[in-house]
């Protein structure tokens, strides 16, 4: 219970003060405990952040029904749009995690590496979907998936900074769906 409270309070502090400005003493005090108790649960602030990143991954992937690989393999526009909508629906809940992870990645090499591994694993799942479907030249599949994932990641970060103030949700998700279908489904775009 103390471990979970430390994680919750850390996330609140990271959102309010930022990752770098938040100290272990701040986290311990917010949880009503001490630095010593903090160290009984986490070796460092970075280790605590690693656990928050694992929680974030669980939040993102637990809602994937069907999983991303199957969505890409299907080539079904409706499933692609559903996947993208599910991700956008998750952004309000995941925003504090993503912002903290990005701030931590700038100063913690282990967090930066974890983030890169997560991106690589997601792109690999998408590529496996294209491999399973045998769509497109195999030499282009990684790039197609990297571009599609990059677009989703960019839109999510822009939303986290500005909300839907720049473009409305429906337009953004429709255009992103069009782009994903072009990159991952449209056989006529083969070169």
């Amino acid at each position: 219970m103390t471990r979970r409270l430390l994680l919750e309070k850390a996330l609140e502090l990271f959102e309010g003060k930022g990752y770098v400005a938040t100290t272990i003493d701040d986290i311990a005090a917010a949880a009503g405990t001490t630095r010593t108790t903090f160290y009984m649960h986490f070796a460092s602030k970075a280790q605590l952040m690693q656990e928050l990143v694992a929680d974030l991954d669980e939040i993102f992937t637990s809602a994937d029904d069907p999983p991303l690989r199957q969505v890409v393999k299907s080539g079904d526009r409706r499933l692609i749009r559903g996947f993208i909508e599910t991700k956008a629906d998750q952004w309000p809940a995941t925003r504090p995690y993503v912002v903290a992870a990005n701030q931590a990645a700038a100063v913690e090499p282990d967090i930066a590496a974890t983030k890169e591994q997560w991106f690589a694993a997601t792109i690999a799942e998408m590529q496996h979907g294209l491999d399973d479907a045998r769509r497109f030249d195999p030499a282009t599949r990684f790039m197609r998936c990297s571009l599609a994932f990059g677009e989703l990641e960019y839109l999510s970060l822009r939303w986290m900074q500005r909300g839907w103030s720049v473009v409305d949700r429906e337009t953004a998700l429709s255009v992103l769906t069009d782009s994903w279908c072009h990159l991952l489904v449209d056989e006529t775009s083969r070169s």
Side-chain angles (χ1 to χ4, degrees):
M1 188 185 322
T2 301
R3 183 181 188 88
R4 179 53 40 199
L5 185 60
L6 287 164
L7 289 163
E8 290 169 6
K9 294 301 178 182
L11 188 59
E12 289 173 15
L13 288 166
F14 296 158
E15 185 174 23
K17 291 176 69 171
Y19 178 84
V20 173
T22 301
T23 67
I24 288 171
D25 288 330
D26 293 335
I27 297 167
T33 190
T34 65
R35 174 183 271 269
T36 302
T37 302
F38 177 94
Y39 282 117
M40 289 172 55
H41 295 278
F42 302 101
S44 64
K45 184 169 70 167
Q47 185 190 40
L48 178 145
M49 190 66 232
Q50 286 281 18
E51 192 155 326
L52 288 173
V53 170
D55 290 349
L56 174 61
D57 184 55
E58 175 61 27
I59 292 167
F60 274 138
T61 58
S62 67
D64 292 353
D65 184 27
L68 180 55
R69 180 178 182 160
Q70 290 178 3
V71 169
V72 172
K73 178 183 178 184
S74 76
D76 183 323
R77 181 182 184 83
R78 187 182 45 81
L79 288 179
I80 290 170
R81 173 63 185 248
F83 178 85
I84 291 170
E85 284 181 357
T86 297
K87 295 301 125 190
D89 291 344
Q90 292 176 313
W91 294 344
T94 59
R95 184 185 181 282
Y97 293 88
V98 171
V99 170
N102 285 334
Q103 291 173 358
V107 295
E108 305 281 5
D110 289 346
I111 303 297
T114 297
K115 185 178 162 188
E116 286 304 311
Q117 290 167 356
W118 181 75
F119 285 0
T122 303
I123 292 166
E125 281 303 297
M126 295 173 77
Q127 185 175 352
H128 291 318
L130 285 183
D131 293 341
D132 294 346
R134 297 186 176 155
R135 268 194 311 277
F136 303 108
D137 180 340
T140 71
R141 292 175 186 160
F142 172 79
M143 183 52 64
R144 289 174 176 283
C145 295
S146 296
L147 290 169
F149 179 74
E151 291 171 349
L152 177 63
E153 177 67 10
Y154 179 79
L155 181 60
S156 74
L157 293 175
R158 294 300 291 172
W159 178 88
M160 289 178 191
Q161 293 170 344
R162 297 189 172 184
W164 296 113
S165 65
V166 175
V167 65
D168 69 276
R169 176 187 163 106
E170 179 57 32
T171 300
L173 300 186
S174 291
V175 170
L176 185 58
T177 300
D178 289 345
S179 184
W180 273 44
C181 287
H182 173 74
L183 287 166
L184 305 174
V185 179
D186 185 7
E187 291 288 340
T188 62
S189 62
R190 268 188 164 170
S191 36

